[in-house]
């Protein structure tokens, strides 16, 4: 089963949606926040949260779910930019100014 809407590429698999169900509440909330942001095409928030969520102590399944979601999110963002979506273009500019994988001090 895949979760998707309006003919868009699948955001996450059913298994991905539940991979954080048994995680610590903070991690579960971050995952849910990232999924909600992605569903509304809030690319910046989704990427920032997914990168913050990436931690060494995650299970392999959790890491895989994050990677699949980041890949899907990047593809959707690139597609939106190619179609001239001004919000997507602004998201790319913001992500270039403040890369989510930059180490925070």
């Amino acid at each position: 089963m895949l979760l998707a809407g309006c003919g868009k590429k699948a955001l996450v698999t059913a298994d991905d949606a539940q991979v954080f169900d048994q995680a610590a509440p903070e991690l579960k909330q971050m995952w849910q926040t990232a999924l909600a942001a992605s569903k509304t095409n809030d690319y910046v928030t989704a990427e920032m949260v997914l990168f913050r969520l990436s931690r060494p102590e995650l299970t392999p399944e959790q890491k895989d779910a994050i990677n699949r979601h980041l890949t899907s999110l990047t593809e959707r963002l690139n597609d939106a930019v190619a179609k001239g979506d001004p919000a997507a273009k602004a998201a790319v500019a913001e992500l270039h100014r403040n890369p989510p994988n930059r180490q925070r001090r």
Side-chain angles (χ1 to χ4, degrees), residues 16 24 27 29 41 69-70 79 87 93 101-102:
D16 286 350
L27 298 178
Q29 181 60 45
N41 294 332
H69 200 74
L70 278 168
D79 288 348
N101 58 347
R102 180 187 303 160

Side-chain angles (χ1 to χ4, degrees), residues 42-83:
D42 183 353
Y43 303 107
V44 174
T45 298
E47 279 206 27
M48 294 288 192
V49 173
L50 287 168
F51 273 100
R52 278 199 334 257
L53 183 58
S54 298
R55 299 173 182 194
E57 70 270 12
L58 296 179
T59 68
E61 294 81 13
Q62 291 167 333
K63 290 177 185 178
D64 288 346
I66 290 170
N67 288 332
R68 277 191 298 276
H69 200 74
L70 278 168
T71 298
S72 173
L73 187 67
T74 300
E75 289 172 357
R76 288 181 26 243
L77 177 57
N78 289 337
D79 288 348
V81 168
K83 292 177 183 174

